Amino acid sequence: QVQLVESGGGLVQAGGSLRLSCAASGRTFSNYAMGWFRQAPGKEREFVAAISKSGGMTYYADSVKGRFIISRDNAKNTVYLQMNSLKPEDTAVYLCAASPLGAGTSRGLYTYWGQGTQVTVSS
């Protein structure tokens, strides 16, 4: 089992920045690729960003490319999502997820999920 706990969400004005963190425990963190997803009210959960087990490869949804940066610190068992130039349409619950298979955009790759942290961007 892998336990994931997100933090860092909050209310921010459009154009602002937030840094989300996801702390993992329970298994060897570096054995898992990590992803960030988000879910807005009434919408499907969507892929945001992913990072490979070593951190050498990253993937982004087109909607966040150039604004968000995913990174990880395997010594601290933590994955981060730096979110810049935030827009109201970025408002959602952000969830991190762990994949033993590898990084990718599909929800089906990810076995473990956190509870999420709310991000609200005001216009």
Side-chain angles (χ1 to χ4, degrees):
Q1 285 276 28
V2 176
Q3 292 78 43
L4 302 172
V5 179
E6 302 94 337
S7 62
L11 173 64
V12 64
Q13 286 189 332
S17 298
L18 281 175
R19 188 195 197 201
L20 305 184
S21 299
C22 173
S25 61
R27 291 281 177 92
T28 303
F29 182 64
S30 58
N31 286 347
Y32 294 85
M34 299 298 296
W36 285 97
F37 290 75
R38 66 187 181 187
Q39 189 162 18
K43 293 189 176 181
E44 296 237 340
R45 189 171 297 183
E46 64 173 359
F47 169 77
V48 175
I51 189 165
S52 62
K53 298 174 185 180
S54 67
M57 296 291 291
T58 57
Y59 308 85
Y60 295 95
D62 287 343
S63 58
V64 307
K65 204 171 290 183
R67 299 189 297 124
F68 290 12
I69 300 171
I70 188 171
S71 61
R72 66 189 296 162
D73 186 336
N74 285 348
K76 294 183 177 180
N77 293 350
T78 302
V79 62
Y80 305 96
L81 186 67
Q82 177 68 43
M83 306 187 295
N84 301 319
S85 302
L86 282 161
K87 305 175 182 180
E89 51 263 44
D90 294 318
T91 295
V93 174
Y94 283 72
L95 307 99
C96 72
S99 165
L101 302 176
T105 63
S106 171
R107 294 187 311 188
L109 288 172
Y110 298 87
T111 304
Y112 303 104
W113 293 81
Q115 293 297 307
T117 185
Q118 176 70 46
V119 171
T120 303
V121 184
S122 63
S123 57

